[in-house]
Amino acid sequence: MNKPYNVAVLVGSLRKASINRRLALALAELAPPSLKLEIIEIGDLPLYNEDIDAGTAPAAYDSFRANLKASDALLFITPEYNRSVPGALKNAVDVGSRPYGKSGFSGKPGAVLSASPGAVGGFGANHHLRQSLVFLDVPVLQQPEAYLGGAGSFFDEAGKLSDGIRPFLQKFIDAYALWVEQHVRS
Ligand code: FNR
């Protein structure tokens, strides 16, 4: 398979000033040359409904699925909502997993990073998402675990990444690059 590997980045927050979106963009800059990270938007996907997916699927489903199919690897960057996966991200996972037998996730190496201003760092969302990824046959990076608490201080008012979190993000994306190298399917 040709490098750089295309990494589909799914961000679990839809808000413009999202910390998680900014972390995704920061990781894209820190990534080694073997990876090309691109955010695949999930905000315009209608709520998954098997009725509207029968026959002619919504155009938003088609383009999302095409983007997913074109990827070699997956990166999930998400906040936690009520100790679980935000609905928008779970919806995207459901859309991408269908039609049955044509999932865009199968076998692609993945990683999950969760971040929250709170102390728990999105642990609940991170592991609930991992539960779905087991079923979807996504081999998920184990270490370093990435439950980032205190995320309100990761960026200054100008949007610059803090020096405090940068080394961890570098370690995470370097470990993920190695994981992709080891698990990507040709
Ligand atoms: C939250 N937030 C939150 N935080 C957390 O650590 N654990 C949680 O269970 C929840 N639950 C939750 C539910 C809902 C509906 C909202 C809107 C928010 C707070 C959340 O972590 C915070 O808003 C983050 O800043 C959201 O991430 P982004 O949008 O900055 O990426």
Side-chain angles (χ1 to χ4, degrees):
M1 188 168 290
N2 292 335
K3 289 189 197 172
Y5 301 120
N6 290 315
V7 180
V9 182
L10 272 57
V11 176
S13 170
L14 304 184
R15 72 186 187 99
K16 284 193 195 118
S18 161
I19 297 165
N20 285 277
R21 174 173 284 268
R22 280 184 277 167
L23 285 170
L25 296 172
L27 286 167
E29 286 190 9
L30 295 172
S34 64
L35 302 180
K36 180 168 174 279
L37 274 60
E38 189 172 349
I39 295 176
I40 298 190
E41 300 298 341
I42 63 171
D44 62 347
L45 295 172
L47 284 180
Y48 189 74
N49 176 340
E50 287 190 82
D51 289 340
I52 65 169
D53 203 16
T56 306
Y61 285 11
D62 288 340
S63 58
F64 176 72
R65 287 167 174 160
N67 285 333
L68 217 48
K69 286 275 180 199
S71 70
D72 304 309
L74 309 160
L75 190 51
F76 299 85
I77 314 286
T78 188
E80 171 176 87
Y81 282 0
N82 299 305
R83 294 283 182 262
S84 189
V85 182
L89 181 55
K90 180 60 167 59
N91 186 52
V93 168
D94 295 340
V95 171
S97 71
R98 294 282 155 152
Y100 185 76
K102 294 184 178 172
S103 165
F105 297 109
S106 293
K108 294 181 180 173
V112 182
L113 180 149
S114 55
S116 163
V120 183
F123 177 88
N126 195 306
H127 277 268
H128 284 179
L129 183 57
R130 284 168 179 267
Q131 178 172 321
S132 294
L133 296 177
V134 170
F135 180 66
L136 293 171
D137 194 23
V138 173
V140 181
L141 177 71
Q142 303 299 305
Q143 295 288 339
E145 295 168 283
Y147 325 116
L148 308 185
S153 64
F154 288 174
F155 297 90
D156 68 15
E157 283 184 5
K160 186 175 172 293
L161 184 68
S162 83
D163 290 339
I165 194 62
R166 184 188 300 273
F168 177 81
L169 294 181
Q170 189 68 65
K171 181 178 170 185
F172 174 82
I173 199 69
D174 289 346
Y176 174 64
L178 183 59
W179 184 254
V180 171
E181 196 74 61
Q182 290 168 338
H183 295 273
V184 74
R185 292 184 184 171
S186 52

